[in-house]
Each structure stands twice: as C-alpha cells, then as structure tokens.
Amino acid sequence: MPPPLSRRAFLTAAAAGAVGLGLSGCASDDRAIVRFHSSKPESIPYFRELVARYNQEQSAARVVLDTATNLQAAFLRGSPPDVGCLNYNMEMARFMERGVLSDLSDMPEAGRIRPEVQQLADQYATFPGRTNVLPFSVAAESVIYNRAIFDEHGVEVPTTWTGFLAACETFQAAGVAPLYGTFKDNWTLAQGMFDYALGGLIDVPEFFAAITELGTAVGPDSPRSFQRDFLEPMERMRELVPFHQADAASRAYPDGNLAFARGEAAMYLQGPWVFGELAKTDPDLSLGTFPLPMTEDPDDRKVRVNLDLALWIPEGSRQQEAARDFVAYLMRAEQMDDFNAQFLGFGTTTDAAPATDERIQDMQEFYDDGRFYLGPSQLVPLAIPLANHVQSMVLGADLRSTLAGVDADWARLAFRA
Amino acid sequence: MTTTAPVIRRRMDPVYLWIIIPTLALFTLAITLPTVMGLFMSFTNSIGFGTWEFIGLNNYVAIFQDPAILQSYAFTFGFAIVTVLAVNVLAFLLALGLTARIRALTALRAIFVLPMVISGIVIAYVFNFLFSNSLPALGTALGIPWLSTSVLVNPDLAWVAIVIVTTWSAIPGTLLIYIAGLVTVPREVYEAADIDGATPLRRLTHITLPLVAGYVAINMILGVKNFLNAYEIIVGLTDGGPGTSTRSIAMTIFTGFSGGDYAFQMANAAIFFLIVVAITLVQLRFTQRGEKA
C-alpha cells in the first residue's frame, strides 16, 4: 500500500498546479481579451462560430463570447463587457442615457446606417452629441398568415380594416379560427394586437414625445394622454378578440406555436422569432406576412419593428480599440447580410441586401419606404406593467379606467424620475 | 455562583472568535451593507449604476400614491392570511391523523412530506398545466362554464389557484413541525381525560391545542414570513396576471432591478422590511406571553 499523501504534499502539488496553469495561460497568448456579450438564444451558435473565425483571422485580440452575465450587475460592478450585441429596448436605453456607453459616431460604420433606422434608437433616449448604439439587425413584425388556408377559402391578403374584418368573418363562417390567440402570456398580446392596432392608427414617436414632454401633467385633462389617444385603437383591438379561437384566454405561447403550425388558425400575430418554432412542427408550412390594416387607406399600413440587435461599447471597457475593431468586423456588409438572411432580419445599412425569404419578403417594401414604427409597448418603461394592463383590457376590463391608470402610472414615474 | 479572579481576567476562548468573526463578516458584507446601501439609494433616482441625484422623499411619496403598489400590498397580505390559515388547519389535521395509531404510518408520512423536496417553480409549472389544460378539459366535458376556461386567467379566481398550490407545497414543512409537537404530548394526560369522560373535541381544544401552542406559534410566524415573500409560485402560475391582480410585493420589488426602477423599489423594499419587522415583533410578543401563561 502506498503511503497516504500528506496534507502538505497535497497542498504543495495543488499550488504548483495552479501556478502552472496561470503561467501557461499567460504565456500562450498575450492578445487583448475582448468580452463580447450577446445573449439572444437563437443566435448564440452563430456568434460562437463567428468569434472563432475572427480569432483565427487576426492576432491582435482574442474575443470571448459571453452569453450569461447579468448586464445590470456587470455595469454596477464597473466591469461591463467590451462589446454588446443585444436587443435594444427601453432598458438598454436607460444604460445609454446615464452615459455608460461610448460615442461611436466617428466610426465609418456609423455613417452606413440608414437614418430612419438610427432614428429608432433615438426614440428610446438620446445622449446629447453621441451615437452610442449601431443597429445591427431589425426584426419586422406583422400578421403571419397560412397561405394554404387563405387559398382554400379564396381570401386575398386584406389591405383595409373592413377588408380584414371581412376576411375574419369568411374564416369564421367556414369554421376556421381566423386568429390564434395566446392571451395567457401577456407579452404576446402587447407585441401583437396592442402594438399593431396602435401603430396602424396613431403616430407612435410623436405621441411618446408629447407625453414625455408633459411628464407629471399627463392625466384626464392633459391635451395628450393614454386615455385620450389610445381609446379608439383599444376599442378596435377589442373588436378582434371574438375572432380568436374559443380557448384563447387559457392558451400560452408554446400552445399557439404548436396549434398554428398544425393549421388550426389562419393568422397569428407574432414576430419573426416564431418562424423557427413553427418550422419545428412543420418545416414545409407556407407562410406569409402582411401589416395589419387599421384604416380604409391601404397607404396607411405600416409594419412594427424593433432593434433586434444593436452594437455598443461601454465607456468602462479597457479595450476600446480592440472592441472597435471587432465591431467593424461584425458590421462588414457581407457579414450583416449573412446574419439577416439566416435569422430573418432586415439590414440596417444603406448597402444591405433585401430579404429573400418568402415568409418576410412582403414586408421589405414597407421597410424600404420607412413605413414602420417601434412597438408602443416597447416605449413604456417596464416599471409600468403595461402587458398586464393589455391583458386586462383584452379579457374585458373597462378601457377608460385601465388607460386612466396607465396615465397615472406615467405621471408618477415622471414625478420620481 | 463563585467566580474566581483568574477566570475573569482570562481572555475569551479564541475558538469563539473563529466561529463568530467569519459569520459576522459574511453577514455584514452580504446582508447589512447591501441593506444600508439600498436604503441610501431609496432617496435618490438611481437606476442601479451611472449618474444619480438625491430626490429626497419623492420615492416614498410616490409609493403611497401608487395604486399598483397598494394593490400588491392588499393582495399579498390577503393571500398570506388565507394561506397561513389554510396551511395550518390542514397540516394540523393531517398531523393528528399521522400521529394516530394507523397502518402504514411511515409510508403515509413519506407521501405527505413529498412536496417538500420539489422546488416551488416546478410545482407551479406542473399545476399551471393542470389549471390551463386538464381542468378546462374536464369543465368542457362536464359542461361547467366557469371551469372550461383556465382559472388562472380569471381575475376573480386566480388568487384561489395560487392559495391552493402554495398550500399544497407548504403543508409538509408545517406538518413535520406539528408531528414533532404532537409526539411530545404525554400519553398520561389523555388517559386522565378519558377517565374524566372528555369528548374527543374537548380533548383537542383543552389538551392537545394548549400543549402544542408553541408549535402553532412557530408555524404561524414562519408561514406569515414565507407567504409575505411569495414569489416563485406566483411567477410560475400567473406571472402577476391576469392584469395585475396577483402581483405580490416581492414581484413588484424585483421589477425594480430588471425595469430600471431601482431606487423606487428600494424605497418599497424599505417599507416592506419595516412592516415585516413589526409583524414579527408583534407575533413574538404574543408567543412569549403564550408560553409564560
């Protein structure tokens, strides 16, 4: 039997091992480490591959993909990632607004971004004199429809509100659910019916600029308010509720994906993120998209968009130069086109290739003409539980008092901001 | 007591220091410091990082005017009271059964304690499925209209579902404490009661309950504290919905981190903290009085 390892010998060996590991870690690689934060689940494998390619092509920096760090905590600790590539929304904008992101306006890539697209980022918040975020990919959302069901019932893609209602009635008369609803997951309502109804009827950026200006004055007597401007769109939204399948109130997002892919409804109000899920059930499903028409004028139709991914570099990064080099790499035209083709996104630059996938192709003309809006539900700070209120309204709560409640929330938020 | 001089002069045994210093340091670092920092931030407009400025008591003023916050308090307290009563009554009855002379006692105890080892969020998702799919299917088959849609999307009934699931998952812990309490009651007192001709009900109210009063108090305090902090079961069942009808205080506070409303929710947390401390002190006073009597 060998003598038992003494504690001292064990600790010495362990320490030597640790030092050895540390040294070898330094010796093999003296490149700058760039931490690249991107947590969009679907695109993680894509970015992992891209990072590996980048690390091979150059020797100045080594990019490390970080998909899990809590950003709020990272900024709080003062150790943010060096490059971020995330959905740009109200919460990200709040980081930017407090001046924690660096100015990228002098990068040549910034000049390639379409002004209307850059404008989307500014709708959330701006930091005077800076361009802090570079839009990388835009997701466009509208009504997803099942081409086979439309053909079977001889329904054309509607371009007016009455046309849309008529189409719904045709399906209903034939015993087909016109729309598949997943009311149990309130976010699906906020990004769907709620945003489409509002975006098709009101000038979204103008409204939010106005109520931001009003601040604490927003209320029953203010010239602009949720209860005044949202009432009609919300009444329209409620008109759509009976066109959903009978058990819409109890269904959740995964139920909806399964049912819609099985052809249990003609239309589904979801964004492009759902296509991958639908394909899991039926890869041959023939789908198309059209903006929900809310008026009698086909020219009023617009698609909902969001900045699915946007790039930024924190002020606190100690690798500014290497980070910028990687951002420039990501923003090469062929690189961006490749990403958008794979993830059904729309390009953000003037030189971007158009979408070719039949599922989103029909939205291209609206996108090119700048006929798009940011979802209003995205422009309300998370401190106001808007999606919950939307769910209440869909399930039958009083519209006036619910919207008055949102006004009061808005005023209180402005009071303490 | 006689204490000799050398003992008084002797320094504290270093073992105690070794035990207390790491604990104290960890507690200070992980609990006390963050609490003080959070309290400080509640007087600012901070979102957790970046620039901020003092805004005095604005956050506190805003809390008392916010119907959503007040609603979350009303919901949470109502929920905690109903649940603590339901849990304790059921667990006590079960404990009476499980300390009686019945067959397969060990197996039955194991079955009833099973929910304890399942995490709350898993329980919530399983029940979510039952409430959203199985029960509506049953309701449709039997032609009961209110049961054919999920109770989780019914603003008037969603809280009942949360009480049921929380009760189901909280009974085992409470049950164990009651079993422990009931086995300490000496057999002789029951024998004496039998000789005096006491009915089972009188035995329960005059012997069993007074003798396990301490255990009832412990279960009440732990229950109230746990249910006031209700979080994961609600997230898994309704996520605060439908609308905002089942948002608990803990859920509202947590939105402050993800929603960039850090300072405001810190103020909310401070108020909540004071309320819980006050409740605990009141409960402790009652139990101490009860034990002396």
Side-chain angles (χ1 to χ4, degrees), chain A residues 132-196:
Chain A
N132 292 106
V133 288
L134 301 179
F136 181 74
S137 175
V138 165
E141 296 106 34
S142 55
V143 180
I144 300 173
Y145 70 101
N146 186 321
R147 290 181 196 269
I149 298 181
F150 267 58
D151 289 346
E152 190 187 326
H153 298 275
V155 175
E156 293 282 313
V157 167
T159 56
T160 62
W161 171 247
T162 44
F164 183 77
L165 294 182
C168 287
E169 274 155 17
T170 309
F171 288 124
Q172 214 158 35
V176 175
L179 293 156
Y180 202 93
T182 52
F183 300 174
K184 190 156 160 260
D185 280 334
N186 57 27
W187 68 270
T188 68
L189 292 170
Q191 63 82 39
M193 272 202 284
F194 176 80
D195 278 352
Y196 294 177

Side-chain angles (χ1 to χ4, degrees), chain A residues 322-345:
Chain A
R324 280 168 164 246
D325 189 66
F326 182 58
V327 167
Y329 180 82
L330 284 168
M331 289 209 47
R332 288 183 191 174
E334 68 275 13
Q335 175 55 54
M336 294 176 89
D337 288 345
D338 183 54
F339 178 89
N340 286 319
Q342 281 205 36
F343 292 93
L344 303 179

Side-chain angles (χ1 to χ4, degrees), chain B residues 121-146:
Chain B
I121 194 80
V122 175
I123 293 175
Y125 278 122
V126 171
F127 273 94
N128 191 334
F129 185 85
L130 293 179
F131 283 126
S132 313
N133 298 292
S134 312
L135 277 185
L138 190 73
T140 318
L142 297 176
I144 308 169
W146 66 268

Side-chain angles (χ1 to χ4, degrees), chain A residues 232-281:
Chain A
E232 198 209 328
M234 291 302 97
E235 283 166 349
R236 292 278 189 91
M237 174 178 86
R238 277 254 277 261
E239 283 185 53
L240 297 179
V241 174
F243 291 121
H244 289 78
Q245 90 284 8
D247 61 353
S250 326
R251 298 291 94 186
Y253 176 63
D255 307 322
N257 297 345
L258 187 64
F260 186 70
R262 285 179 177 164
E264 288 178 26
M267 293 175 276
Y268 196 33
L269 307 185
Q270 273 294 348
W273 46 81
V274 82
F275 288 124
E277 301 299 314
L278 298 175
K280 282 180 194 164
T281 307

Side-chain angles (χ1 to χ4, degrees), chain A residues 71-72 75-76 91 94-100 183-184 186 246-247 249-251 255 381-383 385 387-389 391-392 395 408-409 412-413 415-417, chain B residues 45-52 55 58-59 61-62 65-67 128 132-133 148-150 152-153 237 239-244 247 257-261 264:
Chain A
L71 269 190
Q72 173 105 11
F75 274 104
L76 191 60
E91 309 324 311
R94 293 182 71 118
F95 289 97
M96 193 276 287
E97 208 179 3
R98 302 278 167 142
V100 298
F183 300 174
K184 190 156 160 260
N186 57 27
D247 61 353
S250 326
R251 298 291 94 186
D255 307 322
L382 274 184
N388 296 62
H389 291 312
Q391 190 186 38
S392 298
L395 294 176
D409 281 346
R412 269 190 302 274
L413 198 58
F415 169 76
R416 61 177 198 258
Chain B
N45 66 351
S46 170
I47 58 168
F49 54 84
T51 56
W52 50 265
I55 54 166
N58 273 8
N59 284 327
V61 174
Q65 292 171 348
D66 193 330
N128 191 334
S132 313
N133 298 292
S148 7
T149 49
S150 169
L152 297 178
V153 293
L237 277 179
D239 202 13
T244 54
R247 279 207 336 164
F257 298 98
S258 49
D261 212 4
F264 177 67

